[in-house]
Amino acid sequence: MSQNLYPLQFEPILKERIWGGEKLKTELNKPITSKITGESWELSTVEGDVSVVANGDLKGKSLMELIDENPNGILGTKVYERFGKQFPLLFKYLDAREDLSIQVHPNDKLAKERHNSFGKTEMWYVMQADADARIIVGFKEDSSKEEYLKHLNDNTLVTILDDVKAKSGDVFFLETGTVHAIGAGLVVAEIQQTSDITYRLYDFDRTDAQGNKRELHVDLALDAINYNKVDTQKKYDSKTNVSNTVVDCPYFTTNFVPLEDKIEVSKTGETFTVYMCIEGSFDVEYSGFKQTYQKGDTVLVPAAINAFNLSGKASILEIYIS
């Protein structure tokens, strides 16, 4: 089947959120119809939210079907050996019209024990930021379970959390256990382990349209939190027409590619590669295949495709598993 594979684009899975807005349409041209759309899941095998191919001969097939039929060709030999037929990453764009809840994600061990799931290590690339937009990432100083609970109960949790101003191009890498929240006025690209496990700690006492507050997970979170101060912001180079490493962790590698002309890409067949278009537009060319991708598009290049070209003027995130 590998000879029939080509770079794959998928239908966005759009999610309404209490904190969402309309920037996924105005900034990224997503087909939203709601004024509170918070997320566009670009590439997912989360149960109930499996991505479906949008382009070419395989249009209408799900990502899980493709993996089941040809795991080495889609995932890559190394990824298949490590994860079996599980697609290990989830790719999203998020629009925060309001602050997201303050939350934390469990590590692999806790997530496996409690939810039979991966943990959720993740990274954010800030695509657009309003003036004074900020994020919450970890504690200002090393803390403790006791101090955390005191401030949570006193409704003063935000006073001990680190508040960082965010601007376009900033990258934040969040290991499991890091207390965090995306602040109002941000559009971000998110790359994470395949997991939808979130422990919500504080939601600013918001209510939904029916007047109900969202569920909190205070007890579950206690053993998941890293109470130490953490450094989450990543610095990276911006050399044109090369892959500049931004994040290199056990779960994924993300490079920043400022494309100004043309790049010839060679791969070994060990891993799939995903490209997220952050700015501008670019073409992917492979054996007679050519397609243009715009800001907000995401493309999966199956592992079986080991030589292809990128051309155009764009800022791109390149993601694979080392």
Side-chain angles (χ1 to χ4, degrees):
M1 180 182 159
S2 62
Q3 66 271 23
N4 299 323
L5 291 176
Y6 53 89
L8 299 165
Q9 196 168 6
F10 294 82
E11 299 287 353
I13 300 169
L14 303 172
K15 301 279 190 180
E16 288 190 348
R17 298 290 188 244
I18 196 171
W19 41 261
E22 297 179 90
K23 285 185 184 175
L24 292 180
K25 181 177 182 178
T26 58
E27 292 282 332
L28 305 185
N29 202 34
K30 299 297 174 186
I32 69 171
T33 56
S34 158
K35 292 180 187 267
I36 56 164
T37 303
E39 302 184 22
S40 176
W41 290 22
E42 298 289 297
L43 203 44
S44 166
T45 55
V46 172
E47 188 176 352
D49 287 302
V50 177
S51 295
V52 173
V53 178
N55 68 319
D57 292 342
L58 297 172
K59 183 175 181 177
K61 281 212 161 196
S62 78
L63 179 54
M64 287 302 300
E65 287 178 280
L66 297 181
I67 292 170
D68 194 53
E69 291 169 5
N70 188 357
N72 279 318
I74 297 291
L75 297 172
T77 54
K78 194 172 179 180
V79 176
Y80 180 38
E81 183 180 333
R82 180 175 167 190
F83 295 102
K85 290 184 177 180
Q86 300 180 87
F87 192 75
L89 299 178
L90 173 58
F91 298 82
K92 303 176 182 177
Y93 296 111
L94 287 81
D95 167 25
R97 180 180 51 86
E98 297 181 2
D99 293 336
L100 273 68
S101 62
I102 297 173
Q103 56 193 241
V104 73
H105 304 302
N107 61 26
D108 283 345
K109 183 173 182 293
L110 268 182
K112 180 70 175 173
E113 288 172 0
R114 293 175 175 176
H115 314 284
N116 195 29
S117 169
F118 290 127
K120 190 174 173 183
T121 295
E122 62 187 337
M123 66 156 279
W124 300 327
Y125 178 97
V126 178
M127 296 179 67
Q128 187 271 329
D130 292 351
D132 300 324
R134 90 281 184 259
I135 65 165
I136 289 171
V137 275
F139 293 90
K140 287 179 180 175
E141 304 295 340
D142 288 354
S143 186
S144 64
K145 189 180 294 188
E146 293 72 27
E147 182 185 37
Y148 157 77
L149 283 172
K150 178 183 183 304
H151 283 278
L152 185 67
N153 293 330
D154 291 346
N155 230 21
T156 55
L157 178 60
V158 292
T159 65
I160 61 169
L161 298 178
D162 204 7
D163 190 294
V164 181
K165 188 169 168 51
K167 65 183 185 304
S168 178
D170 282 350
V171 171
F172 298 89
F173 175 62
L174 291 90
E175 295 185 272
T176 54
T178 304
V179 175
H180 62 274
I182 296 174
L186 292 172
V187 175
V188 305
E190 181 175 279
I191 300 145
Q192 58 160 97
Q193 290 176 268
T194 291
S195 170
D196 202 27
I197 307 299
T198 294
Y199 298 155
R200 194 178 295 122
L201 312 178
Y202 179 63
D203 199 28
F204 304 97
D205 296 319
R206 280 183 292 210
T207 56
D208 62 18
Q210 287 72 46
N212 301 312
K213 292 183 179 180
R214 293 195 293 174
E215 182 184 4
L216 300 180
H217 312 96
V218 174
D219 291 340
L220 283 172
L222 285 176
D223 293 333
I225 293 172
N226 175 6
Y227 295 96
N228 296 320
K229 180 178 171 61
V230 292
D231 183 15
T232 59
Q233 194 159 0
K234 307 296 279 189
K235 303 297 182 186
Y236 57 95
D237 291 331
S238 300
K239 297 174 184 172
T240 58
N241 296 326
V242 296
S243 298
N244 301 276
T245 302
V246 182
V247 169
D248 187 11
C249 74
Y251 304 105
F252 55 84
T253 296
T254 299
N255 300 324
F256 178 65
V257 184
L259 183 64
E260 289 290 342
D261 187 14
K262 186 174 183 178
I263 301 175
E264 295 181 357
V265 183
S266 296
K267 297 289 182 180
T268 61
E270 292 184 327
T271 175
F272 61 86
T273 306
V274 172
Y275 293 100
M276 304 179 84
C277 188
I278 301 305
E279 195 64 63
S281 67
F282 70 100
D283 295 337
V284 177
E285 296 179 69
Y286 161 73
S287 186
F289 172 97
K290 183 177 180 179
Q291 187 163 333
T292 301
Y293 301 94
Q294 310 283 346
K295 180 180 179 181
D297 285 343
T298 302
V299 55
L300 168 66
V301 180
I305 298 175
N306 52 26
F308 55 94
N309 295 328
L310 307 177
S311 59
K313 289 187 180 297
S315 295
I316 307 168
L317 296 182
E318 175 185 59
I319 305 100
Y320 50 85
I321 293 181
S322 298

